[in-house]
Structure formats: C-alpha cells, structure tokens
Amino acid sequence: MIDLHTHSYYSDGTFSPEGLVIEAKKRGLQAIALTDHDTIDGLAFFQQAGQTYQIETITGIEFAAQYHRFGEQEIHIVGLGFSPDASVLQEQMNAIVTARETRNQKMVSALNKLGFPISYEEIQQNAGGNIVTRAHFANVLVRKKIVKTTKEAFDKYLSANKPAYVEREILTPKLCIETIQKAGGVAVLAHPTLYYMDDAQIELLAEELKRDGLTAIEVQYSSYSTEQRNKIMQIADKVGLFYSGGSDFHGANRPNVQLGVGKNNLNIPYAYWQALKQQCHSYYL
C-alpha cells in the first residue's frame, strides 16, 4: 500500500515531514508522497527521513487553480515525482510566496479597519514559521477574545464575502500542469467529487485537463463512496488517465482520516505509483 496525498505542518497538517515518514513506516506503507499546499519547503526533510527509515518518499505539491467553465471554481492539481530544484518550480514558488504575503497584509489591514488591533507579526508568530493561512488569523482573533471560536472568526470575518476576506491570486490549471511537467513530474487531478460538479462535468474537466497535459486522476480518496470511486475509475479509463489516490492526511486537523487507509476505505496499490513513475521525466534526466 501507498499514499500519494498527504500534508505536513509546512502547510495545514500537524505532522512534521519526518513524522509523516515514521507514521507511514509504522503502518507498513511502501511509499508516500508529501503534497503540501502551494509549497515544497518540507520536501528536503521528507526525503532525508525516507533515507533514514528506508521508505520511498515521493516529491509532491498540491496547487490551487482557478477553473472557469462552470463558474468560478477552485480546483486542486497534485504534482508528483518532480525535481524540487527545477528552476521553473522555484520561480513559481517565489511568485506564490509574494502573492500570499500581499494577501495576508491586506487581510491585516482589513481587520485593522474594523477596529481590531492585530499585527502581521502576531499572525506570523501563530504560524510558527510555517505558511500563514486564514486558520492562523482565526487563532489570533480567538486569542485576543475578538471571537469565541475559530468557526465564529470564519463566519463573521474570514470567509468569502466577509469583511476581512481577501481573494487569493491563484494559478490556472494549465500553468500548474505545465510547471509540474517542466520540473519532470506528473500532474494529477485531486478529489474531483469535491468540486460541486456532476459526473458529466467532471468528465469534461478531465478531458480538458488531459489536453493540457494532465496525467492522472485520484480514483481513491478518503471521502469517496464506493459508487463515486467506481465512477471516477470509469472516467479515468474513458479519458485515458492513469490512476492515483491518497488519504489527504492532515493529522490532528482531520482526525477521522488516517494515513494510508483514509476512513478505512482505501487500499492504494504500489502499481499506481509504478505506472506514474514511468511518466516522470525527473527519474530519467
């Protein structure tokens, strides 16, 4: 068994990259990918841990992209098996960091205009050196007793169309796919059932992204029903996409999802990665 979709505390998980590897080893996984949101900062520690604990560690990332065909929609593209040192990837990471910093500063300004004495330094301290997310804003609002719970922070201020929300600058699916491929990896459409699309729309999405260079689609995922899994497999076969799959493990931030097995509904074979690895140019550079 393997897991091709996991997160560390370099994005919104609670495990360190090394902790993920140790947990994967405990669970008897043969390979694991670290696919943090819009960052590759944890990959060096992750791969080093793979060597230490003798488990195959796969480079990964989960890009957020804006898709427009069925209205404004955020979709996620997972990259696997790329070279983290590729210049095209480093350039894209720098652009994402700059855009994220600008957004965070605007959110602080919006909260200040609402009369809340919050500094960006406080938000960064709450993030502990990791990527700042809206969850860190919510934590500070709770700590300063502006709201009682993080849910209230999102409901009143931080969710879309609320007074402190600032829209993210995110990439197009095509740019995500091209970046992954130019870095030697393969692009995977993550959890398509989460995009509020019907089966026909998911199929159209898969076909469009396949033309842009998409290699695979997640046919196993923690929230899929058996019927959904079978349908995504049918779409993959029809469109001509490879299989991928993962738990989307976040540690304590998603306690009902376990590494490798999800909600005890996953059994992802190494054959998925074996097939994908042969499509990764980074292994043959």
Side-chain angles (χ1 to χ4, degrees):
M1 285 174 58
I2 62 173
D3 196 331
L4 298 177
H5 190 156
T6 73
H7 296 276
S8 76
Y9 59 35
Y10 279 88
S11 63
D12 55 349
T14 58
F15 276 57
S16 67
E18 182 182 30
L20 273 175
V21 172
I22 293 169
E23 183 69 14
K25 187 77 172 179
K26 280 183 194 171
R27 290 181 171 269
L29 298 186
Q30 193 174 351
I32 179 175
L34 174 58
T35 56
D36 278 328
H37 293 283
D38 297 322
T39 183
I40 56 173
D41 288 352
L43 289 181
F45 303 105
F46 179 67
Q47 291 182 293
Q48 187 176 15
Q51 293 178 343
T52 301
Y53 297 100
Q54 296 185 312
I55 181 172
E56 186 173 359
T57 46
I58 301 159
T59 56
I61 191 169
E62 184 173 9
F63 280 123
Q66 198 74 50
Y67 184 70
H68 301 286
R69 182 179 290 275
F70 308 116
E72 291 294 320
Q73 186 119 247
E74 183 178 305
I75 67 171
H76 290 181
I77 306 292
V78 165
L80 296 172
F82 51 78
S83 170
D85 299 323
S87 60
V88 65
L89 191 63
Q90 294 293 337
E91 288 165 11
Q92 196 57 69
M93 292 300 98
N94 291 337
I96 287 171
V97 167
T98 301
R100 186 184 297 121
E101 288 288 316
T102 301
R103 182 205 193 200
N104 291 336
Q105 295 281 9
K106 286 180 178 178
M107 287 180 67
V108 169
S109 294
L111 288 166
N112 291 160
K113 285 177 184 175
L114 291 168
F116 304 142
I118 288 172
S119 69
Y120 190 35
E121 288 70 29
E122 289 175 292
I123 306 294
Q124 290 175 309
Q125 284 171 7
N126 189 264
N130 297 318
I131 289 174
V132 171
T133 69
R134 283 181 296 159
H136 300 118
F137 280 84
N139 291 341
V140 172
L141 287 172
V142 171
R143 184 170 58 77
K144 302 197 96 153
K145 299 184 179 178
I146 294 166
V147 294
K148 291 181 179 177
T149 65
T150 55
K151 182 180 185 303
E152 184 184 351
F154 276 91
D155 290 345
K156 283 187 173 180
Y157 304 112
L158 302 176
S159 293
N161 302 316
K162 300 302 178 183
Y165 179 79
V166 176
E167 193 170 350
R168 284 196 300 165
E169 272 188 50
I170 56 178
L171 312 172
T172 65
K174 185 173 184 178
L175 181 56
C176 294
I177 292 167
E178 287 176 352
T179 300
I180 293 161
Q181 287 187 325
K182 286 176 181 176
V186 291
V188 181
L189 177 60
H191 44 60
T193 61
L194 301 187
Y195 304 140
Y196 305 103
M197 298 180 188
D198 59 30
D199 291 343
Q201 290 173 325
I202 291 172
E203 187 174 320
L204 281 170
L205 170 65
E207 287 174 347
E208 183 177 332
L209 298 187
K210 172 79 184 304
R211 290 193 293 271
D212 288 337
L214 189 76
T215 299
I217 189 169
E218 287 183 346
V219 300
Q220 290 199 50
Y221 184 73
S222 294
S223 69
Y224 288 178
S225 65
T226 301
E227 182 182 1
Q228 286 175 320
R229 183 191 66 202
N230 292 339
K231 185 62 189 178
I232 300 301
M233 281 183 165
Q234 288 173 11
I235 289 171
D237 293 342
K238 184 175 179 181
V239 176
L241 293 170
F242 287 82
Y243 293 171
S244 186
S247 63
D248 206 356
F249 179 72
H250 282 69
N253 287 342
R254 206 171 283 181
N256 61 333
V257 172
Q258 299 303 309
L259 193 65
V261 296
K263 298 178 180 178
N264 290 317
N265 60 339
L266 302 181
N267 189 352
I268 304 160
Y270 187 82
Y272 286 11
W273 172 235
Q274 189 76 42
L276 288 173
K277 191 191 293 191
Q278 293 173 9
Q279 307 299 312
C280 292
H281 302 302
S282 65
Y283 283 80
Y284 306 104
L285 291 175

